[in-house]
Amino acid sequence: MVGRQGRVTGRIGPGLVGEVLVPIRGGVEAFYAHPAIPDEEIPPGTIVVIVEYSPPRTVYVARAIV
């Protein structure tokens, strides 16, 4: 999971649990998402990269450089 890119579908920010759609296993799956940088806010539609994965469905993300 670490290093994969996804698209934010639910706003991610401090004190919020956002959502990210990640292409995996031949489809697209939703994961709960938290910001890797504690005070960062990431709006829906932003492409992010997964920097940490906590099974089964939680990821920590940072904005991808596109």
Side-chain angles (χ1 to χ4, degrees):
M1 286 294 296
V2 174
R4 289 186 175 271
Q5 289 187 349
R7 182 177 301 276
V8 177
T9 56
R11 189 166 64 102
I12 300 169
L16 299 174
V17 177
E19 183 181 69
V20 174
L21 291 180
V22 180
I24 190 167
R25 295 188 276 270
V28 178
E29 295 185 20
F31 291 84
Y32 296 120
H34 299 278
I37 300 169
D39 294 332
E40 184 175 25
E41 288 194 23
I42 306 172
T46 304
I47 302 298
V48 293
V49 63
I50 297 170
V51 296
E52 189 175 335
Y53 172 58
S54 180
R57 306 218 57 87
T58 302
V59 293
Y60 291 83
V61 299
R63 292 175 192 263
I65 299 173
V66 186

